[in-house]
Amino acid sequence: DTEVTQTPKHLVMGMTNKKSLKCEQHMGHRAMYWYKQKAKKPPELMFVYSYEKLSINESVPSRFSPECPNSSLLNLHLHALQPEDSALYLCASSQVTGNEQYFGPGTRLTVT
Amino acid sequence: RKEVEQDPGPFNVPEGATVAFNCTYSNSASQSFFWYRQDCRKEPKLLMSVYSSGNEDGRFTAQLNRASQYISLLIRDSKLSDSATYLCVVKMVLMEYGNKLVFGAGTILRVKS
């Protein structure tokens, strides 16, 4: 089973709201990722967790805060976002970093 | 120079045609390579890994040329369902941070009846 699940599928939030995106995998993968994807662009890496520790932060603004509660779960906490943060947020996992990644269906976020 | 470069297309081909995409990468130390496909408003899905000896999966063949630092994907007997964006992906080694995958901008394929 190569399934990564994400909730919610869609999210509309105001610039003063706080919300969280959730991602889960049960493949025993030890690397998990957050990507942001704008229309007609490739996925853009935001964060990498390896063995539940943050290993890469691609200079993401602090209004995005990742959390890895355990080896199966990855959260992305959102606070005081801007309209330009509207995008598809994809979670992915792999056995270890650098291996083929499996993506969840994404959360389509709109910031109003 | 971009780390991974692809011809954005679109490639418009009739059903049954053979089509090939190329991708070049800048880091000669790169070791792992993949092709993903992404349908409109969906997540990327792994199509195939690319091995040094080349590999084939049904109508799809991937080749790696390390000397010239390019990867290719050949699709034979194109189907309407092959219409998608094809992403070339290269593993980058970050010595102290581990590894990450770098995505090309994607090549759009449209197969028409």
Side-chain angles (χ1 to χ4, degrees):
Chain A
D1 181 12
T2 54
E3 190 178 74
V4 177
T5 59
Q6 288 187 244
T7 56
K9 284 191 166 58
H10 300 275
L11 179 62
V12 179
M13 61 186 288
M15 289 191 282
T16 57
N17 291 159
K18 283 186 182 182
K19 296 285 184 184
S20 297
L21 310 185
K22 297 187 183 302
C23 173
E24 190 166 7
Q25 56 89 13
H26 291 291
M27 295 178 277
H29 289 174
R30 301 316 299 268
M32 295 185 77
Y33 313 80
W34 281 115
Y35 288 86
K36 173 183 176 180
Q37 187 174 27
K38 300 282 259 185
K40 301 188 193 303
K41 298 286 188 185
E44 182 185 328
L45 183 65
M46 300 174 72
F47 302 104
V48 180
Y49 273 82
S50 178
Y51 291 87
E52 296 149 61
K53 293 200 184 316
L54 182 65
S55 62
I56 297 177
N57 174 341
E58 294 281 78
S59 303
V60 179
S62 59
R63 57 187 184 267
F64 295 92
S65 174
E67 179 197 18
C68 189
N70 61 52
S71 60
S72 302
L73 291 173
L74 187 66
N75 298 323
L76 185 63
H77 302 297
L78 314 173
H79 173 56
L81 295 193
Q82 305 296 311
E84 59 265 28
D85 296 322
S86 299
L88 180 67
Y89 287 84
L90 293 159
C91 174
S93 72
S94 62
Q95 277 194 319
V96 292
T97 59
N99 282 24
E100 58 269 23
Q101 293 176 14
Y102 297 91
F103 285 82
T107 293
R108 195 160 296 279
L109 174 68
T110 303
V111 181
T112 61
Chain B
R1 184 183 169 188
K2 287 184 185 173
E3 292 162 320
V4 180
E5 293 205 65
Q6 296 182 248
D7 180 344
F11 285 61
N12 295 302
V13 304
E15 270 185 294
T18 295
V19 62
F21 308 136
N22 287 331
C23 163
T24 57
Y25 59 95
S26 60
N27 187 338
S28 60
S30 299
Q31 296 176 341
S32 300
F33 310 91
F34 311 95
W35 283 102
Y36 280 74
R37 72 169 276 167
Q38 186 171 23
D39 294 289
C40 188
R41 300 180 69 81
K42 299 281 192 181
E43 74 273 23
K45 289 189 192 292
L46 178 67
L47 182 64
M48 55 200 308
S49 302
V50 186
Y51 304 121
S52 295
S53 54
N55 48 307
E56 188 173 309
D57 182 2
R59 298 182 293 109
F60 299 84
T61 301
Q63 297 278 355
L64 168 63
N65 184 320
R66 285 190 187 275
S68 302
Q69 292 179 215
Y70 82 75
I71 308 139
S72 64
L73 177 69
L74 182 79
I75 305 175
R76 288 180 298 278
D77 188 23
S78 300
K79 312 284 184 202
L80 293 174
S81 57
D82 294 333
S83 298
T85 298
Y86 290 82
L87 299 162
C88 174
V89 182
V90 175
K91 171 178 153 182
M92 175 181 288
V93 177
L94 306 171
M95 297 309 294
E96 62 273 35
Y97 301 117
N99 310 296
K100 70 175 187 180
L101 299 187
V102 179
F103 285 74
T107 298
I108 298 170
L109 172 65
R110 297 187 188 131
V111 181
K112 299 188 183 300
S113 58

